[in-house]
Amino acid sequence: MNIPADLKYTKDHEWIKIEGDKITIGITHFAQSELGDIVYVDVDTVGDTLNKEEVFGSVEAVKTVSDLFMPVSGEVLEFNEALEDTPEIVNSDPYGAGWMIKSTISDKSELDDLLSPEAYKKLIGA
């Protein structure tokens, strides 16, 4: 199971890459493997300021739809538009080309609530 050491994680299986005052968010390798073949990623919150744990979009796989949750409060700045035509990138490269959104961080103290790679490994039993 691929769990990069330079990222933070949520109990809802999102990963977070912190880049100064901005973050990039996607779903973990574990999440995409549990969902199966991803056929659609829906994010219509660009420009919206959302609170921690609010839904910023959804991901649709062949058999299910799953909500995507903000790991920290912030403004959704950008959606990975490549996912509109090729959502399966999330399956093949969840930590790279399969990123979903970029966001600001409204409250840096919320970063303390994120899981370390080790804590995430325990959560999923890896």
Side-chain angles (χ1 to χ4, degrees), residues 38-60:
I38 294 173
V39 296
Y40 187 67
V41 178
D42 179 37
V43 174
D44 61 2
T45 53
V46 174
D48 293 351
T49 299
L50 302 173
N51 292 320
K52 177 181 173 181
E53 298 184 358
E54 279 193 278
V55 173
F56 71 80
S58 63
V59 61
E60 182 177 341

Side-chain angles (χ1 to χ4, degrees), residues 16-27:
I16 300 90
K17 182 175 184 181
I18 303 165
E19 302 166 287
D21 289 340
K22 295 185 175 80
I23 55 174
T24 302
I25 303 166
I27 63 170

Side-chain angles (χ1 to χ4, degrees), residues 21-95:
D21 289 340
K22 295 185 175 80
I23 55 174
T24 302
I25 303 166
I27 63 170
T28 65
H29 182 270
F30 176 82
Q32 69 78 26
S33 68
E34 291 291 304
L35 288 167
D37 293 334
I38 294 173
V39 296
Y40 187 67
V41 178
D42 179 37
V43 174
D44 61 2
T45 53
V46 174
D48 293 351
T49 299
L50 302 173
N51 292 320
K52 177 181 173 181
E53 298 184 358
E54 279 193 278
V55 173
F56 71 80
S58 63
V59 61
E60 182 177 341
V62 174
K63 296 181 181 178
T64 189
V65 176
S66 183
D67 285 336
L68 300 166
F69 299 96
M70 287 293 285
V72 297
S73 302
E75 178 186 354
V76 179
L77 300 173
E78 183 182 348
F79 168 62
N80 182 355
E81 293 183 7
L83 300 181
E84 290 180 351
D85 295 327
T86 51
E88 63 273 11
I89 296 171
V90 175
N91 291 116
S92 62
D93 191 10
Y95 299 111

Side-chain angles (χ1 to χ4, degrees), residues 110-121:
E110 291 177 345
L111 295 172
D112 297 337
D113 297 332
L114 300 174
L115 302 175
S116 67
E118 295 75 23
Y120 185 70
K121 284 178 188 176

